[in-house]
Each structure stands twice: as C-alpha cells, then as structure tokens.
Amino acid sequence: MKTISIEMKEDAYEAFKNFLHLLPQDSFVIYDDDDTPQERERAIVHRYNEQIDSGTLDAFESFEKMKNGLRA
C-alpha cells in the first residue's frame, strides 16, 4: 500500500471520507491524525526550524563535539 497525507478544512474532511468509502473496503485505511503526539511533534519541529532560521543553534549538539565523542 502507498500512503498520502492531506490537510484540509473540517467541512471538506467528512465529504472526502465519504468519497473514499466509494472505493472497495479493503483498498484503503484511514488514519485520523487527531493524535496529540503528532501535534506535539509538529510543534517541536516548528520550534527547531525557528531556531535554525534565527541562527540560535544552542539546542543542537556541535558536530565537532559529536565527532570527538565517536573517537573516544
């Protein structure tokens, strides 16, 4: 099976799910993303991207430090 992710407005979501049910039952699986961990992960990624964009790299370990740790 292949996987796609689609983000859409709430009012379109139900219509889209109904459309999918026109397909054979064993041809798809719907994974609702109402999961809090997924939202938390997105927030973390967003925060890291903001830090990278602003040049604040304190949250990231230095490559040199990592490289030296591997040689120990």
Side-chain angles (χ1 to χ4, degrees):
M1 291 186 103
K2 300 272 187 176
T3 302
I4 61 171
S5 273
I6 301 174
E7 189 171 327
M8 63 183 68
K9 292 182 179 180
E10 284 291 320
D11 55 341
Y13 179 72
E14 287 303 317
F16 187 75
K17 276 179 46 177
N18 291 336
F19 167 74
L20 288 176
H21 287 291
L22 296 174
L23 300 171
Q25 285 300 112
D26 62 342
S27 66
F28 68 94
V29 177
I30 296 175
Y31 298 100
D32 274 326
D33 66 348
D34 293 339
D35 253 0
T36 4
Q38 188 175 20
E39 287 301 316
R40 195 173 332 135
E41 290 166 355
R42 285 183 186 163
I44 291 168
V45 168
H46 180 71
R47 187 179 77 239
Y48 284 151
N49 283 333
E50 284 180 332
Q51 290 174 354
I52 290 168
D53 291 344
S54 70
T56 309
L57 304 177
D58 298 340
F60 304 99
E61 191 167 348
S62 141
F63 178 73
E64 288 300 317
K65 187 176 179 182
M66 286 175 46
K67 185 171 70 173
N68 292 336
L70 290 174
R71 291 183 184 168

